[in-house]
Each structure stands twice: as structure tokens, then as C-alpha cells.
Amino acid sequence: MTTVLRPHAEDQYADELAILAKADDRPRPPGWKLSPWAVTTYLLGDADYPGGPITPKYIGPRRIVEVAVATLATDRALLLLGVPGTAKTWLSEHLAAAVSGDSTLLVQGTAGTAEEAIRYGWNYARLLAEGPSREALTPSPVMRAMAEGRLARVEELTRMPSDVQDALITVLSEKTLPIPELNEEVQAAKGFNVIATANDRDRGVNELSSALRRRFNTVVLPTPATAEEEVDIVSRRVTQLGRSLELPDTPAGMEEIRRVVTVFRELRAGVTGDGRTKVKSPSGTLSTAEAISVLTSGIALAAHFGDGVLRPADVAAGIVGAVIQDPVSDRVVWQEYLETVVRERKDWRDFYRACRDAS
């Protein structure tokens, strides 16, 4: 696994999952590797866990995680909804890893996703040579999850065409997948369920039908409530990514992390942190995930082309690129923020000059 750029959650955190499984004496739903309580502990972390520390995978309200985990223990599917960068995919992967021990049964929703990605396809060479048979059938990730009693993940559900979305209705309501060509069906084994994610900025792209929406319990993932919470999330992920990418050891630079988070939060909210100055918001989302990306790039610059210390010049270009998505309107928003807010902060002078040069 040392050559893998990004191990699956069940591989990367195998030790923690084993620690939890060994000590987990609480009731487990059929087909689950861990109890709902242990799954929640895995996601939220516990530094004082008896078998060893469990690192937090998701930082946010505990009740949201509890509702998500409890939903998967029922016959209702789970829909994680939120703006970009609120860890929907991250949370779905870790839920699948903790519940099923397998996060790889994944359907990626796009405008070109076909119904076969939800139901099944065919090996056409065998189909032509032998006719319809189980051997000629190519199961989808959802079909495999049903047969094995695992969780299937459907990413960006609202990006799929509506007729493809509706292929899930029978699967979620009847827990069966008909195969009319063989006059057969696949019945879901205990432990099967579906976790879907959707971006609420995409409403109107391919809205879910009321019939499909009723099959889901929707959990809305919020943006980090406070600046300190967002700084904690960003610093943890930047450190993890640095290790994964084997970047040279570079101090994370909490001052720059706080600065990037502050800029993103103020532009998202349309007001400065002290509430005194209103600012315009750009067209982009400026999510926590983008802040992580800006800082990871900055650390790479500092390590390979600087003195190994994260400085304002290392993050300036990344911030400008994240903010200015529309070269006309966003540039005006950024310049106004730079001159009216950043310039007035005395301890941000180096940052102001670096951003002005990068702009």
C-alpha cells in the first residue's frame, strides 16, 4: 500500500477499525462489521479510547453523524446533502468502510451515467456466443452490494439523468433488482443499503422525483460553525495530505492557515469577522476543501522552492485562483476586498503585498 497515492479508508485506517471491532460488544445490525456506536466513534474519534486513540474523520455536530448512522440501520437509504466542500464524499466513504469494511462499491454520477451503472450490463462477447446467462451478466456496484449485503455509494446523484435516478426506486423500495432477460431477480442480503450524495448548489440540474426522494432520509451537512472548527479541519487534513504525498517536512504554519480560513469565511459570509464591514461574495463556493487545497499547494511551494517555512507568498496565488472563478466579476470582488479589508490589517501587510502581486 506504500505505493498507493490514496488508500481506501478501510485500508488506511485498518488498525483503528480492528481496535474498535475487538472491543465492540454492543449490538450490531445484520451484516455490519461494527455496532452503530462504534461506527460513530470511528467517525468522530476518541483520543482516550482504551485500545488506542481513534482519530476523528469528520469534525461536526455529533447528532448529524448519529442520525446518518441510525438511518443506515433502517430500511431507508441515506442522502448526504450540502454545498461543495462539506465532506459529503469523505463521510460516505468512511461510513461504508466502518459499516461494510468496503468503500469501493461506488457509482459516480455524471450527465453520461447510464442505467447499467445502477442495474447491470452485459459481456457482449459472451452474450452473443452463449445467449443471456448469469455468466454473461456484468453486475453493477449496486447489484454487488445487494448480493453481498454491503453499502453501495452513489456520488452526485442529482447529476444523473432522471431516468437513471429512477432505476433506484425498485431497489430502495422492494430491495430487489429484477433481471427480466433471465426471468430472475437479485434480492438484497441483510446489511445492504445505499448512501447517496448531492450538491445543493445543483438544484435544478436533475431534481429528484418525489417518489425517489421519499426513499431517502436526507441529512444536511453544514459548513463549519466557527472559524476555530474550520481551522482544526484544515490543519488536520493538510497534515494528512502532506504525509500521503510525502512532501518534505514543512511546518504547517498556523498563522497562514488561520489567514486563509478567515479570507474564505469572510468572502463566503459577505461580512468581515468582526461584523463591521460588508463585502461582496464571489461566484465560487470557497469551501473548506478548497482551503485545504490552497494550503497543500502552498506547503509544496515552500518545501520545494522556498526556505521550508510557509509564508504569505506561498498561499497568495492559490487564494487568488480559488476566489477569481469569473475573470470579470470575481476580480472586482477580490480587488475590493483586498483594498478595503486586507490592506487595513497591519499584521497582514506581507499577505496584502503577496496577493496584490499575484493578482
Side-chain angles (χ1 to χ4, degrees):
M1 295 303 297
T2 56
T3 61
V4 176
L5 183 60
R6 187 186 183 280
H8 297 302
E10 59 271 22
D11 298 323
Q12 186 173 0
Y13 296 97
D15 292 344
E16 293 185 15
L17 291 169
I19 289 170
L20 287 164
K22 184 177 180 180
D24 186 15
D25 57 358
R26 301 190 181 222
R28 304 181 187 185
W32 283 40
K33 301 292 185 182
L34 299 172
S35 68
W37 177 86
V39 172
T40 302
T41 302
Y42 168 76
L43 290 168
L44 295 176
D46 184 350
D48 300 319
Y49 194 76
I54 306 299
T55 58
K57 318 304 179 301
Y58 176 77
I59 298 174
R62 181 180 184 88
R63 197 59 178 174
I64 285 179
V65 175
E66 291 175 342
V67 170
V69 173
T71 295
L72 294 174
T74 70
D75 64 343
R76 289 177 66 81
L78 173 65
L79 175 62
L80 299 175
L81 185 69
V83 299
T86 47
K88 300 182 294 296
T89 298
W90 181 255
L91 183 57
S92 75
E93 179 185 357
H94 284 281
L95 278 168
V99 171
S100 299
D102 185 358
S103 63
T104 65
L105 298 173
L106 171 68
V107 176
Q108 180 60 58
T110 69
T113 300
E115 192 172 327
E116 287 80 1
I118 301 293
R119 300 177 70 237
Y120 52 85
W122 295 98
N123 179 330
Y124 286 103
R126 298 196 68 165
L127 182 65
L128 291 172
E130 305 169 7
S133 67
R134 271 301 184 108
E135 291 70 26
L137 185 145
T138 304
S140 70
V142 175
M143 185 176 179
R144 287 177 53 204
M146 294 178 71
E148 299 169 11
R150 299 178 185 271
L151 294 184
R153 299 166 54 209
V154 181
E155 291 294 313
E156 302 291 356
L157 180 59
T158 52
R159 289 192 177 275
M160 293 182 181
S162 298
D163 56 331
V164 178
Q165 293 177 11
D166 289 343
L168 281 170
I169 291 177
T170 301
V171 170
L172 298 181
S173 59
E174 304 297 329
K175 300 299 187 286
T176 61
L177 180 59
I179 310 175
E181 296 90 342
L182 303 179
N183 197 26
E184 295 179 17
E185 66 180 11
V186 174
Q187 292 185 298
K190 290 183 177 180
F192 166 73
N193 212 328
V194 172
I195 309 173
T197 66
N199 176 352
D200 63 4
R201 286 282 185 100
D202 286 341
R203 287 178 180 171
V205 175
N206 288 305
E207 282 281 6
L208 301 184
S209 66
S210 59
L212 183 56
R213 187 174 284 276
R214 285 197 304 271
R215 269 74 179 180
F216 283 100
N217 185 29
T218 301
V219 172
V220 179
L221 299 186
T223 55
T226 65
E228 287 304 316
E229 186 176 295
E230 190 162 4
V231 167
D232 187 21
I233 294 170
V234 172
S235 61
R236 286 175 185 273
R237 285 295 294 141
V238 166
T239 301
Q240 290 171 353
L241 282 170
R243 285 199 298 262
S244 174
L245 297 170
E246 297 186 22
L247 291 174
D249 191 19
T250 302
M254 287 303 298
E255 183 179 357
E256 298 311 320
I257 290 176
R258 290 182 184 280
R259 199 158 8 222
V260 171
V261 168
T262 298
V263 170
F264 276 33
R265 289 182 69 87
E266 289 180 339
L267 287 172
R268 280 201 311 254
V271 64
T272 55
D274 57 12
R276 295 179 179 178
T277 307
K278 290 186 177 181
V279 298
K280 295 176 182 176
S281 295
S283 60
T285 57
L286 298 182
S287 65
T288 306
E290 289 173 282
I292 293 167
S293 177
V294 166
L295 285 156
T296 303
S297 176
I299 287 176
L301 282 170
H304 293 298
F305 301 103
D307 59 3
V309 178
L310 187 65
R311 301 187 185 280
D314 300 318
V315 299
I319 288 182
V320 173
V323 173
I324 302 178
Q325 299 292 316
D326 183 314
V328 178
S329 61
D330 289 345
R331 186 173 295 278
V332 173
V333 170
W334 173 242
Q335 290 295 339
E336 184 176 312
Y337 176 78
L338 201 60
E339 297 299 330
T340 60
V341 177
V342 175
R343 186 179 183 180
E344 299 303 315
R345 293 173 174 165
K346 294 182 179 179
D347 54 341
W348 284 34
R349 293 288 171 81
D350 290 344
F351 180 73
Y352 167 73
R353 285 191 289 270
C355 289
R356 187 184 58 188
D357 293 343
S359 300

